Amino acid sequence: MPGRVLASLIARSRPASGAWVEADVHHDERIMKHLARSSDDRPGPDERRASAKSASKSPPPAPAARLEMLIESPPLVFLGPASTSSGALLSGQLKVVVDTAEVRLAHFTMALRKTTTTKKPVCPNCPDCAGQVVDLFKWEFLHEAMSLKKGTHAFPFSHLLPGRLPASSHSALADIDYALEAQGTTVTGECLPFHRSLTVQRALVPGNDRNSIRIFPPTALTAHLTLPPVIYPIGEFPIAFRMDGLVRASGELQTRWRLRKLSWRLEEECKMISPACAKHEQKLGGAGKGMLHTETRTIGSDEYKNGWKTDLTTGDGLVEMEFKASIRTSKRPVCDVVSQGGLTVAHSLVLELVVAEECCPAKTPQVTTLTGAARILRMIFALPVTERSGLGISWDEEQPPMYDDVPPSPPTYIQMEDYVGPPLDDEDLERLPAT
């Protein structure tokens, strides 16, 4: 383009006879320098695209107000099972921080929401089948429009979460989450959203150790096991094992069972009944039905081939052993959960014993002969996994005593009446020194 303009200008500057004029030559050089400078100053296509992107990425205008939250209550922990738990108290302040001179709110609400997400829904592409959202409680902070000046304005809230609710859980088949969802709307239509996730836990208060007995017919073997009532995701727990009935005498021969190997494992069983929405309930045969999914995994295991004490000389024989067991934290265990939404998580301890049979003369018991018979003895015990209870004091036991609960009560006062009569002479009364 600059070349065409320059050619046209040069063609116009030629004289009629075709000879160059010196003044016109200098004039053409000045035109060429001007066009070159103008072409250099003009932005290229890359620069134009960069400027367009920077314009599109310009930050949006700052909102007139924002929401913040301060939780004043302790962590949400349900103490005890769902049938006897008194729940957990949630309290705090929802704050509106106004950055401009004034903001007028038309609506201001907050909801306590429980979300159950199924990882194996009936229809994979249906959001209604994958998630169930339930509003447990809702706060209406405004009943009419309100103007708020610049600064921080607090709106207190509180709610008692019932103990029957399931704890927060993130398993292989489903998730249970709790959150506070707040939303404010100004009179101009500007939305002020806020989201705060909540962690709800359940802690079973530990009690006395459990003593379990297992008998393995047709043999006379009897196993005794001492277990803690509950275990925790972090930390070890002791297990005391004892087995008797190892020796059986028949004439001049003795038949004995000898322990060869002891192994244990902790299994986590997760079950989820995936419900179907109204659009896809016909896939399962009608409303109110769901699809059952089950998954079992091992979250801790070990085995021993020695380390126990064996006594075959007294009575019918005895084997004793004490060992420590724990959950692998790398497995990310899930605490026990029983939810009405279909999720169930339970744990069990599986103990396996490998015993071999041998015989020996009654007079020389040190000379033994293997009979070739062996057995695998398996025992399964339900072992709940729970969070630690800490001090083990629920919210209703932390509150101070009420007036009627403090004996003895203060004395009652007689009914007093105003004095009606002549003025009293107080000149003879002794004055107290001024302090």
Side-chain angles (χ1 to χ4, degrees):
M1 185 65 182
R4 295 181 181 177
V5 175
L6 180 59
S8 62
L9 292 174
I10 294 174
R12 292 178 185 175
S13 63
R14 290 181 178 178
S17 59
W20 288 91
V21 180
E22 186 176 357
D24 293 340
V25 173
H26 292 296
H27 179 68
D28 295 339
E29 291 178 356
R30 288 195 299 269
I31 293 175
M32 291 179 62
K33 291 180 181 180
H34 174 73
L35 293 176
R37 270 196 309 270
S38 63
S39 62
D40 293 341
D41 297 340
R42 188 180 305 163
D46 295 339
E47 296 178 357
R48 288 195 296 268
R49 284 195 296 268
S51 62
K53 289 182 179 179
S54 62
S56 61
K57 293 182 179 180
S58 59
R66 65 183 187 275
L67 301 181
E68 297 179 356
M69 181 175 291
L70 174 63
I71 300 295
E72 300 174 344
S73 56
L76 302 175
V77 180
F78 297 148
L79 290 177
S83 58
T84 60
S85 177
S86 59
L89 185 63
L90 171 66
S91 63
Q93 296 182 12
L94 184 60
K95 299 181 179 180
V96 181
V97 182
V98 181
D99 298 326
T100 58
E102 185 180 9
V103 169
R104 188 171 179 81
L105 291 179
H107 303 282
F108 192 25
T109 61
M110 186 175 67
L112 175 60
R113 189 163 294 170
K114 184 188 79 168
T115 304
T116 304
T117 305
T118 305
K119 298 183 179 180
K120 294 183 178 181
V122 177
C123 183
N125 299 325
C126 179
D128 295 334
C129 291
Q132 303 175 9
V133 180
V134 179
D135 288 343
L136 303 177
F137 194 77
K138 191 173 183 180
W139 291 269
E140 293 282 350
F141 294 108
L142 298 181
H143 298 285
E144 59 182 7
M146 175 184 291
S147 297
L148 302 178
K149 301 293 183 181
K150 184 176 181 180
T152 303
H153 306 268
F155 295 83
F157 64 89
S158 63
H159 180 64
L160 177 61
L161 276 72
R164 66 177 182 274
L165 294 175
S168 301
S169 178
H170 298 86
S171 62
L173 298 179
D175 295 339
I176 299 178
D177 298 295
Y178 293 88
L180 289 172
E181 299 280 351
Q183 185 174 2
T185 306
T186 63
V187 293
T188 59
E190 183 180 1
C191 184
L192 306 176
F194 183 82
H195 175 87
R196 177 71 174 268
S197 300
L198 299 176
T199 301
V200 180
Q201 299 175 334
R202 183 177 297 280
L204 301 179
V205 180
N208 298 328
D209 292 341
R210 291 189 304 166
N211 296 316
S212 301
I213 301 176
R214 295 290 187 272
I215 302 175
F216 304 96
T219 66
L221 296 175
T222 304
H224 305 261
L225 212 66
T226 302
L227 297 171
V230 295
I231 60 176
Y232 308 105
I234 299 176
E236 298 179 339
F237 58 94
I239 297 177
F241 165 73
R242 179 170 58 90
M243 185 169 63
D244 52 19
L246 303 177
V247 180
R248 183 184 60 184
S250 57
E252 297 182 355
L253 292 178
Q254 283 186 357
T255 304
R256 304 185 298 190
W257 293 99
R258 188 175 293 274
L259 181 62
R260 296 297 183 182
K261 187 176 73 170
L262 183 148
S263 62
W264 64 269
R265 66 178 182 272
L266 281 169
E267 293 184 349
E268 180 181 279
E269 184 180 18
C270 180
K271 297 181 180 180
M272 179 61 189
I273 301 177
S274 301
C277 65
K279 296 181 181 179
H280 303 96
E281 59 185 14
Q282 298 301 326
K283 289 185 176 182
L284 304 179
K289 297 183 178 181
M291 184 182 298
L292 176 63
H293 301 278
T294 305
E295 182 172 320
T296 304
R297 61 171 184 157
T298 301
I299 58 176
S301 62
D302 201 355
E303 66 176 25
Y304 302 92
K305 295 184 178 180
N306 50 38
W308 51 79
K309 298 178 181 179
T310 305
D311 186 4
L312 302 176
T313 59
T314 59
D316 53 359
L318 181 66
V319 173
E320 292 181 337
M321 183 179 183
E322 292 185 3
F323 57 92
K324 299 283 187 179
S326 62
I327 299 176
R328 298 178 186 173
T329 55
S330 59
K331 295 293 184 178
R332 296 183 179 180
V334 182
C335 295
D336 283 34
V337 175
V338 177
S339 172
Q340 296 181 356
L343 177 62
T344 303
V345 180
H347 298 81
S348 58
L349 173 66
V350 181
L351 192 68
E352 293 183 351
L353 310 173
V354 178
V355 293
E357 187 182 38
E358 60 184 20
C359 63
C360 63
K363 297 182 179 180
T364 56
Q366 64 273 12
V367 181
T368 61
T369 303
L370 295 175
T371 62
R375 290 180 180 272
I376 299 178
L377 311 179
R378 182 178 292 109
M379 297 173 284
I380 302 177
F381 306 91
L383 201 56
V385 178
T386 179
E387 297 290 344
R388 297 186 182 272
S389 58
L391 297 177
I393 301 176
S394 60
W395 69 272
D396 53 344
E397 297 178 354
E398 290 181 351
Q399 66 179 358
M402 303 297 292
Y403 183 82
D404 297 335
D405 299 336
V406 181
S409 300
T412 57
Y413 294 94
I414 61 175
Q415 186 177 2
M416 303 187 67
E417 300 178 355
D418 295 337
Y419 174 75
V420 179
L424 299 177
D425 186 9
D426 56 353
E427 293 180 355
D428 298 336
L429 297 177
E430 185 180 356
R431 301 293 180 179
L432 296 175
T435 56

